Amino acid sequence: MVRVTLDGDAEITIGGYLFSLTGVTGAVTIDTPRLACDQDYTSKNACTAGDYPKIPDAGAYVSWTGNMEKIVITPDWRML
């Protein structure tokens, strides 16, 4: 899961996957397993473009362009 805080448009690249957000202000959650982007329980899927990032176990790089204030990546995997 990726949580970003931004003002306007931004592009995020995680492990080679480019994901764009357009016209979003504030904090949004990018839920990669569900292929959903939400802001305060409101869908922002219409504001997205590109591939939802797949976060590998190790060795991923993160880069971004745009007016991004904060990005937090939280792993959401389970081990049995």
Side-chain angles (χ1 to χ4, degrees):
M1 188 173 317
V2 180
R3 180 106 170 137
V4 297
T5 304
L6 65 151
D7 184 17
D9 302 342
E11 291 184 339
I12 305 164
T13 302
I14 300 174
Y17 293 92
L18 177 64
F19 187 77
S20 300
L21 292 161
T22 305
V24 179
T25 299
V28 295
T29 300
I30 303 165
D31 189 339
T32 56
R34 286 185 30 231
L35 302 178
C37 183
D38 302 317
Q39 182 179 41
D40 297 326
Y41 304 105
T42 302
S43 175
K44 292 294 180 181
N45 287 340
C47 300
T48 67
D51 296 321
Y52 276 82
K54 293 181 176 99
I55 303 169
D57 293 340
Y61 64 89
V62 177
S63 64
W64 61 89
T65 60
N67 198 5
M68 184 102 45
E69 294 176 25
K70 182 177 176 181
I71 182 167
V72 177
I73 300 173
T74 304
D76 188 23
W77 63 74
R78 292 170 181 83
M79 296 179 71
L80 300 174

